[in-house]
Amino acid sequence: MPKVHIETDDLTIDVDKGFPLIDMCEDHDTSILFGCRDGACGACMIRVKGGDENLSKMSEDEEDFLETMAAEPGERLACQCKVYGDITIEVSE
């Protein structure tokens, strides 16, 4: 079972393989905020500190949006990510 470690919250959560990060955050008290569910607002920007290969592939829409937001390498939109293995993330500032 994959583990999601949120450094910002010092919290580790077990999730099923393929589980959406947005659903995990809605089920637990995390500091990751969501303004939408379709990758159009940027409120849920996270920085992947480890295990980026264990997240779902970035869609072209997410890639385009992150480019518009001038995101740094390793930043993703949590609402667009599914977990397939252990990851470590933090809230982007």
Side-chain angles (χ1 to χ4, degrees):
M1 180 171 277
K3 294 184 183 310
V4 177
H5 179 68
I6 305 171
E7 285 187 350
T8 311
D9 301 329
D10 193 26
L11 179 67
T12 301
I13 301 167
D14 292 328
V15 297
D16 291 328
K17 192 173 185 178
F19 202 74
L21 270 181
I22 190 169
D23 292 342
M24 181 203 76
C25 291
E26 289 176 346
D27 292 345
H28 296 82
D29 187 23
T30 73
S31 59
I32 301 171
L33 304 175
F34 296 92
C36 68
R37 292 184 74 95
D38 60 8
C41 76
C44 65
M45 183 103 60
I46 56 170
R47 180 178 321 282
V48 181
K49 305 280 289 197
D52 58 335
E53 70 279 2
N54 293 324
L55 287 175
S56 53
K57 186 177 184 301
M58 191 180 303
S59 71
E60 191 173 311
D61 288 340
E62 181 184 2
E63 209 171 300
D64 291 344
F65 185 79
L66 289 172
E67 185 177 314
T68 301
M69 296 286 294
E72 296 179 14
E75 290 185 317
R76 296 283 309 264
L77 297 174
C79 70
Q80 300 299 298
C81 296
K82 291 184 179 179
V83 181
Y84 292 97
D86 295 351
I87 62 168
T88 300
I89 58 177
E90 68 181 6
V91 175
S92 289
E93 310 249 343

